[in-house]
Amino acid sequence: AQSVAQPEDQVNVAEGNPLTVKCTYSVSGNPYLFWYVQYPNRGLQFLLKYITGDNLVKGSYGFEAEFNKSQTSFHLKKPSALVSDSALYFCAVRDVKLDMRFGAGTRLTVKP
Amino acid sequence: EPEVTQTPSHQVTQMGQEVILRCVPISNHLYFYWYRQILGQKVEFLVSFYNNEISEKSEIFDDQFSVERPDGSNFTLKIRSTKLEDSAMYFCATLRQDMNTEAFFGQGTRLTVV
């Protein structure tokens, strides 16, 4: 069965600094990897995905993520954080059966 | 942009009562999921549904839970006898029949069991 780990409950960065939100996964076969963001009292909003191809994928709002097969990681990054990026971020993995599992979430706080 | 619609947005029910949460998927989507999230914590998988049957379910999805798509449009989650610990946000997600696409989520139903 597939699983996802987000080792940090909380990430704090200063506005303008780069941010990284970590994710590692476990799945049999090729992974389908996703990042979603959740703002307060809202649903999950898709940010980006890795299916195949380039290991560096770009998504919404300037976010990107790097797929690393040897480390089974899919860390979310942004070169310059904004206060408005503060939210809950979820990494997810999907297998060939199309069932998706989420990590526990990482709360990102960007301080001015 | 197409969206997944969930109703109601908030449901308050007494312990032991039955509740039905409704989801209207995006029209050409064939895979459906229910997830729950307790107070901004982790998003927990409940069940997946394809071709009018359950594809997979978690240990949370016990005999008190059921899903169906009675009229070919709405996708419902029923909790037969609610418990206090069922209080959570319930999210519906739907997916096109395409391995390369992402799932779309509804805005959720906040269930409060009192």
Side-chain angles (χ1 to χ4, degrees):
Chain A
Q2 69 275 41
S3 66
V4 177
Q6 292 181 242
E8 301 154 317
D9 293 335
Q10 176 92 28
V11 170
N12 298 314
V13 298
E15 188 173 31
N17 282 0
L19 69 88
T20 299
V21 183
K22 296 179 181 177
C23 171
T24 59
Y25 67 89
S26 172
V27 67
S28 54
N30 293 325
Y32 296 77
L33 297 160
F34 304 84
W35 276 101
Y36 285 82
V37 60
Q38 185 181 34
Y39 297 101
N41 301 312
R42 302 296 299 273
L44 279 75
Q45 184 177 336
F46 169 75
L47 271 182
L48 50 77
K49 64 186 175 187
Y50 172 82
I51 303 297
T52 187
D54 289 341
N55 290 342
L56 185 66
V57 294
K58 295 185 184 296
S60 308
Y61 311 121
F63 283 94
E64 56 189 31
E66 186 168 12
F67 170 64
N68 187 316
K69 187 173 184 178
S70 62
Q71 296 184 3
T72 61
S73 67
F74 189 56
H75 300 332
L76 181 70
K77 300 180 180 184
K78 187 172 182 180
S80 178
L82 300 172
V83 173
S84 57
D85 292 330
S86 298
L88 198 52
Y89 290 81
F90 291 96
C91 182
V93 64
R94 198 171 75 202
D95 64 7
V96 292
K97 289 165 55 181
L98 296 179
D99 289 327
M100 189 160 62
R101 298 291 186 274
F102 286 85
T106 299
R107 187 166 299 281
L108 173 67
T109 302
V110 181
K111 297 184 178 177
Chain B
E1 183 176 310
E3 60 180 22
V4 178
T5 305
Q6 288 187 243
T7 55
S9 57
H10 192 187
Q11 171 105 35
V12 181
T13 188
Q14 289 202 327
M15 190 169 55
Q17 295 297 304
E18 173 183 286
V19 295
I20 298 177
L21 311 183
R22 291 182 170 79
C23 169
V24 179
I26 296 172
S27 62
N28 61 345
H29 286 199
L30 300 178
Y31 291 85
F32 313 114
Y33 310 86
W34 282 103
Y35 292 86
R36 80 172 185 190
Q37 183 184 36
I38 296 175
L39 271 183
Q41 297 179 27
K42 65 185 298 184
V43 177
E44 299 175 300
F45 170 75
L46 291 178
V47 66
S48 59
F49 189 85
Y50 170 68
N51 201 24
N52 284 322
E53 61 183 23
I54 290 174
S55 175
E56 190 169 344
K57 59 183 180 180
S58 72
E59 62 277 5
I60 301 170
F61 194 89
D62 61 20
D63 292 345
Q64 292 300 311
F65 290 87
S66 63
V67 289
E68 63 177 1
R69 199 172 179 218
D71 55 7
S73 61
N74 288 315
F75 176 52
T76 62
L77 174 69
K78 182 192 292 185
I79 309 176
R80 288 190 183 81
S81 179
T82 50
K83 303 186 286 290
L84 294 176
E85 54 265 37
D86 292 328
S87 296
M89 282 290 286
Y90 289 80
F91 292 106
C92 172
T94 74
L95 178 70
R96 228 169 56 195
Q97 188 174 2
D98 181 345
M99 291 292 289
N100 297 329
T101 60
E102 64 275 12
F104 289 78
F105 281 78
Q107 291 300 305
T109 293
R110 181 178 299 281
L111 177 65
T112 303
V113 182
V114 297

